[in-house]
């Protein structure tokens, strides 16, 4: 329940269509893709940086939690109002402020959809490389909050590599400008990269200067089908050792392939138990050399078929159907986007097979193999306490395996609330204390997205 004086202040500053207090209206902002539900006491829709500053100032005055939110497509619970308070929806800050092809820059507000940036950049021959599976629906503010990646991060990198500067309001209410308009700039600390991936715990982003990349001239796809997992993982390591870097390298295990067969029965050979979806881009000469090299790296005794694919659109349609298909077959999936060094993938995937068998759990794995970023999906029945307990034990062991292989607990989904209990597996005490001190400096009253990231 919000204090009466705060309600009066907000009602004076915002019209009813941009200030929700009815629980029915607020419920839409109570959840994200983690499937957890925490209703906010109110929802605000700012349109300007000045309005954001005013909201932050009031929340500091009344010590009310303020939870920045994009489109709610995150899977780690990063935008959940766990302690009530106000959900700050940035979805109406929709202006693409400028497009500057000569400098390869677009400046946009945080509510602009990823796809809208692509549509605006394409006529000029450019694109913005971050391509999460939610690109049609997710906002650039949300992409920045988690440093979103996607299939093409293997060649182009994640959001962190494609943001030049930000404008934001800190948890203390200060307006700050980070980074610069140029691709070179070393004045002061790199606060831009600090804010990227901070999940709304330090500041509310109100404007982003994005670095564009030229669209490739030619795109080609390759699929490789294997009878067993070891042959497939060996091919991944060989491909990533080549000088010809693929623009995407996706891995699917037997569980993933069975899901696709259920939806697209004629797409896959019946004896395929592991598969790679590979994309290469560049000039005609680049494509030809890359296809030859990658097909050579896929050769193995257990290779069934490796061939070029004419229709890459169909290829990605099948890949992006996996997450919705998982939701159809499992009452709940524990989805973790862990990352290990590419050379450790054979050991990691073998370990996943062993652990899922040990804890008697259904497990489906797929992901961005070129980065070593695997989406581990434990499929459980939440109404079975024994299975839930086994899944928690298994997940703990999976995270231990990741850390032992010099990996990281999240590649693109973030920590949010779902992984915060495990952060100390990766971050030592002194480093964690420094992070907490940074949080206090930006947000002294702990109003911005409280409880996230830290155990």
């Amino acid at each position: 329940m919000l204090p009466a004086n705060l309600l009066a202040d907000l009602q004076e500053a915002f019209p009813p269509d941009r200030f929700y207090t009815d629980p029915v209206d607020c419920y839409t902002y109570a959840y994200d893709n983690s499937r957890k539900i925490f209703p906010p006491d109110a929802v605000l829709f700012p349109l300007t940086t000045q309005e954001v500053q005013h909201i932050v100032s009031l929340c500091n005055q009344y010590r009310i939690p303020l939870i920045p939110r994009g489109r709610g497509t995150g899977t780690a619970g990063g935008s959940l109002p766990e302690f009530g308070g106000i959900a700050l929806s940035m979805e109406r800050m929709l202006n693409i402020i400028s497009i500057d092809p000569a400098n390869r820059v677009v400046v946009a507000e945080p509510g602009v959809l990823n796809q809208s940036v692509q549509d605006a950049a394409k006529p000029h021959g450019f694109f913005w490389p971050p391509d999460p599976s939610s690109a049609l629906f997710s906002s650039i503010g949300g992409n920045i909050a988690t440093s979103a990646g996607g299939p093409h991060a293997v060649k182009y990198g994640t959001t962190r590599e494609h943001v030049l500067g930000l404008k934001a309001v800190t948890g203390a209410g200060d307006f700050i400008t980070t980074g610069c308009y140029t691709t070179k700039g070393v004045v002061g600390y790199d606060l831009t990269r600090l804010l990227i991936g901070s999940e709304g715990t330090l500041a509310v982003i109100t404007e982003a200067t994005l670095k564009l990349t030229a669209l490739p001239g030619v795109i080609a796809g390759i699929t490789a089908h294997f009878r067993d997992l070891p042959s497939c993982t060996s091919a991944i390591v060989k491909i990533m050792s080549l000088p010809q870097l693929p623009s995407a390298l996706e891995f699917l295990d037997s569980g993933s392939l069975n899901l696709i067969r259920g939806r697209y029965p004629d797409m896959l050979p019946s004896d395929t138990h592991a598969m790679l979806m590979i994309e290469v881009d560049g000039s005609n000469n680049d494509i030809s050399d890359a296809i030859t090299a990658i097909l050579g790296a896929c050769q193995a005794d257990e290779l069934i078929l490796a061939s070029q694919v004419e229709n890459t659109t169909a290829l990605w349609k099948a890949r992006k159907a996996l997450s919705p298909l998982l939701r159809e077959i499992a009452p709940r999936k524990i989805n973790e986007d862990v990352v290990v060094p590419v050379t450790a993938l054979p050991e990691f995937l073998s370990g996943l097979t062993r652990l899922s068998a040990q804890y008697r759990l259904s497990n489906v794995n797929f992901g961005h193999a070129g980065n070593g970023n695997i989406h581990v999906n434990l499929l459980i029945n939440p109404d079975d306490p024994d299975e839930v307990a086994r899944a928690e034990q298994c997940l703990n062991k999976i995270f231990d395996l990741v850390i032992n292989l010099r990996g990281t607990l999240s590649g693109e989904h973030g920590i949010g609330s779902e992984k915060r209990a495990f952060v100390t597996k990766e971050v030592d005490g002194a480093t964690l204390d420094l992070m907490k001190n940074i949080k206090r400096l930006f947000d002294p009253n702990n109003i911005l997205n409280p409880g996230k990231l830290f155990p």
Side-chain angles (χ1 to χ4, degrees):
M1 183 73 68
L2 299 180
N5 288 344
L6 174 59
L7 282 170
D9 287 342
L10 290 172
Q11 285 168 344
E12 182 179 347
F14 293 90
D17 66 328
R18 292 201 288 123
F19 178 35
Y20 295 171
T21 55
D22 187 317
V24 174
D25 294 329
C26 292
Y27 188 80
T28 301
Y29 301 86
Y31 55 88
D32 62 7
N33 209 27
S34 70
R35 287 185 162 183
K36 302 287 179 61
I37 298 173
F38 293 93
D41 296 306
V43 184
L44 280 167
F45 303 88
L47 299 180
T48 66
T49 296
Q50 291 73 27
E51 287 186 345
V52 172
Q53 274 191 288
H54 184 56
I55 295 165
V56 171
S57 175
L58 288 173
C59 286
N60 271 300
Q61 180 182 339
Y62 292 97
R63 299 297 195 271
I64 298 298
L66 184 65
I67 299 86
R69 180 184 175 95
R71 291 302 181 103
T73 60
T75 64
S79 63
L80 298 180
E82 290 184 291
F83 303 100
I86 298 172
L88 186 69
S89 175
M90 310 302 287
E91 67 186 276
R92 300 190 192 180
M93 294 187 72
L94 288 170
N95 293 315
I96 294 179
I97 297 166
S98 65
I99 301 176
D100 183 352
N103 288 304
R104 301 190 175 203
V105 164
V106 59
V107 180
E109 291 181 334
V112 176
L113 297 184
N114 182 305
Q115 186 61 49
S116 298
V117 174
Q118 312 302 350
D119 293 342
K122 188 174 181 179
H124 302 281
F126 296 101
F127 74 112
W128 192 53
D131 63 333
S133 59
S134 60
L136 285 171
F137 316 104
S138 62
S139 65
I140 61 167
N143 293 167
I144 291 168
T146 60
S147 193
H152 294 89
V154 62
K155 180 173 182 178
Y156 295 104
T158 64
T159 299
R160 186 168 276 116
E161 284 74 51
H162 302 282
V163 180
L164 294 174
L166 297 168
K167 291 183 179 179
V169 177
T170 70
D174 298 320
F175 173 69
I176 60 172
T177 300
T178 75
C180 50
Y181 197 79
T182 57
T183 55
K184 283 186 176 181
V186 289
V187 178
Y189 297 126
D190 191 348
L191 298 180
T192 303
R193 290 174 73 89
L194 176 62
L195 293 185
I196 297 170
S198 64
E199 301 187 47
T201 61
L202 301 179
V204 181
I205 294 165
T206 60
E207 183 180 299
T209 301
L210 309 177
K211 182 174 69 174
L212 299 176
T213 298
L215 286 163
V218 184
I219 299 173
I222 300 168
T223 56
H225 301 261
F226 299 87
R227 291 188 182 88
D228 62 19
L229 184 60
S231 297
C232 183
T233 55
S234 176
I236 294 168
V237 175
K238 291 177 183 176
I239 291 169
M240 292 307 297
S241 300
L242 295 171
Q244 296 87 357
L245 184 66
S247 53
L249 175 56
E250 297 290 289
F251 159 79
L252 299 88
D253 73 356
S254 58
S256 303
L257 296 172
N258 287 335
L259 287 174
I260 292 176
R261 286 187 181 99
R263 179 63 58 89
Y264 307 101
D266 300 324
M267 178 175 280
L268 304 168
S270 60
D271 52 350
T272 298
H273 294 291
M275 179 181 173
L276 298 179
M277 294 180 173
I278 308 160
E279 189 178 275
V280 292
D281 65 19
S283 67
N284 281 313
N285 289 338
D286 293 336
I287 294 289
S288 178
D289 292 345
I291 290 174
T292 300
I294 290 171
L295 290 176
C298 289
Q299 297 306 309
D301 290 340
E302 298 304 318
L303 174 70
I304 300 168
L305 173 69
S307 61
Q308 186 173 347
V309 177
E310 296 301 326
N311 187 352
T312 56
T313 301
L315 195 69
W316 293 117
K317 180 181 178 182
R319 165 63 180 85
K320 290 188 175 184
L322 277 174
S323 288
L325 288 172
L326 280 167
R327 288 209 183 277
E328 290 177 14
I329 68 167
R332 183 185 170 204
K333 64 169 182 168
I334 298 176
N335 174 18
E336 302 297 349
D337 73 316
V338 297
V339 189
V340 297
V342 171
T343 52
L345 276 175
E347 185 177 352
F348 176 62
L349 291 168
S350 174
L352 281 180
T353 301
R354 174 178 53 79
L355 287 170
S356 59
Q358 177 183 341
Y359 289 96
R360 308 190 312 279
L361 295 168
S362 297
N363 184 22
V364 173
N365 305 301
F366 55 88
H368 318 310
N371 297 109
N373 184 191
I374 300 299
H375 294 270
V376 179
N377 297 272
L378 302 178
L379 310 182
I380 65 171
N381 180 356
D383 297 324
D384 183 339
D386 179 64
E387 189 166 80
V388 171
R390 282 186 280 115
E392 291 174 350
Q393 294 167 11
C394 183
L395 185 61
N396 190 54
K397 294 294 185 183
I398 288 171
F399 286 154
D400 285 341
L401 177 61
V402 169
I403 298 302
N404 288 336
L405 293 173
R406 297 190 296 171
T408 182
L409 301 182
S410 180
E412 56 190 10
H413 290 172
I415 297 300
S417 56
E418 294 292 285
K419 290 186 182 178
R420 63 188 168 202
F422 304 100
V423 165
T424 53
K425 289 181 181 289
E426 181 171 341
V427 183
D428 62 78
T431 305
L432 197 60
D433 285 343
L434 178 59
M435 291 181 181
K436 290 178 179 178
N437 286 335
I438 291 171
K439 163 70 169 171
R440 292 187 190 101
L441 183 63
F442 273 79
D443 182 22
N445 293 317
N446 193 31
I447 63 163
L448 281 188
N449 216 2
K452 305 298 170 29
L453 298 183
F454 301 121

